[in-house]
Amino acid sequence: MIKATHFIVDLETMGNGPRAAIASIGVAVVREGLLTDSTYIPVSLESSVQHGGEMDASTILWWLSQGEEARAAVRAGATPLRDALNYLTDFIRSHSPMPNATYIWGNGSSFDCVILRSAYQAAGLEAPWPFWNDRDLRTLLHLYPAAKALPFEGIKHHALDDARHEAKQLVAALELHADHLRDATKMVTPVGYILAPAEPTPAMVTAAEEAHMPFGDMHIAIQCALHAAQQPEAL
């Protein structure tokens, strides 16, 4: 999974419900375990409300207690919601043209992904990823809390800086997860054995055919096929 393309989304909103009004969108891209790109979209709060975005008093009061830099970023929003979402769609597709291979991470199972999908629906647009590719960073960090220890760079509660920080946490957590899988594999694989897929891969079939044709020895063909099996360290 660490080699897939991931989009870490951070929304700054004026509410905390599923139809919260969006003030800004920050997105960071992780590919092959590296933070490769990011973008920031200030959103017109007025436009968000016109599309059904909801504001609540507790969130507004919370924003009033935040630093001036973070509040200034929220006030600077000028992009109409529909334009902001179209730009986001283009940005995501430029990095991952296949929707089924597009993973969208939010910090909490009921916040960023849910609010963003609701905004797409309110604007009459199709989200550029399937709902089953929603991912929750908060749950992953609960499983691998060491990934939360990374120092924060930038302005807290600024959508772009938050997204970039969460992207680094994601990479750290996925690396810890990969280490865990490797350790588990070593524990369950006896010495002298390797893991092999339940169904032969094309590389295994080719290796077996190439070994069997000149020698006619099925034992050698099977050994060559197993040697060509992709091992967990390479996944």
Side-chain angles (χ1 to χ4, degrees):
M1 189 175 187
I2 195 170
K3 293 189 175 183
T5 300
H6 305 274
F7 298 86
I8 300 81
V9 175
D10 185 87
L11 303 180
E12 300 304 335
T13 68
M14 287 296 161
N16 54 27
R19 292 182 294 276
I22 298 173
S24 60
I25 304 171
V27 184
V29 184
V30 169
R31 180 184 289 116
E32 298 284 335
L34 297 173
L35 174 57
T36 59
D37 200 1
S38 59
T39 192
Y40 176 70
I41 315 169
V43 181
S44 164
L45 188 57
E46 181 180 5
S47 176
S48 291
V49 172
Q50 289 172 348
H51 282 87
E54 299 174 354
M55 300 192 295
D56 61 65
S58 61
T59 303
I60 293 173
L61 290 172
W62 180 85
W63 271 110
L64 292 175
S65 69
Q66 301 308 304
E68 173 57 28
E69 290 179 306
R71 289 187 284 119
V74 170
R75 291 196 303 267
T79 309
L81 179 65
R82 188 180 176 87
D83 292 345
L85 296 176
N86 278 325
Y87 173 84
L88 177 60
T89 294
D90 291 342
F91 179 80
I92 289 174
R93 287 177 176 166
S94 71
H95 288 280
S96 182
M98 301 295 292
N100 285 336
T102 301
Y103 298 96
I104 305 293
W105 292 78
N107 196 12
S109 60
S110 62
F111 197 74
D112 302 281
C113 293
V114 173
I115 295 172
L116 189 56
R117 186 172 294 278
S118 294
Y120 270 100
Q121 292 173 347
L125 300 172
E126 181 180 357
W129 77 96
F131 70 88
W132 56 83
N133 279 359
D134 286 0
R135 295 293 184 268
D136 175 24
L137 179 63
R138 185 171 295 166
T139 300
L140 183 63
L141 293 179
H142 179 75
L143 295 173
Y144 299 101
K148 298 172 66 175
L150 296 173
F152 189 92
E153 298 179 7
I155 304 168
K156 288 189 176 181
H157 308 304
H158 185 290
L160 178 59
D161 293 339
D162 283 357
R164 291 177 63 85
H165 178 68
E166 290 161 8
K168 295 173 185 176
Q169 291 180 321
L170 173 63
V171 170
L174 290 178
E175 288 176 345
L176 290 170
H177 181 63
D179 290 342
H180 174 76
L181 290 179
R182 280 191 287 268
D183 291 343
T185 299
K186 292 176 183 177
M187 291 174 62
V188 301
T189 308
V191 176
Y193 287 75
I194 65 171
L195 293 177
E199 295 291 335
T201 65
M204 293 173 66
V205 172
T206 299
E209 290 174 345
E210 291 177 350
H212 188 257
M213 289 301 292
F215 300 108
D217 190 326
M218 184 57 68
H219 178 71
I220 293 176
I222 292 173
Q223 285 186 320
C224 290
L226 291 174
H227 181 72
Q230 189 178 24
Q231 291 302 291
E233 295 83 10
L235 295 179

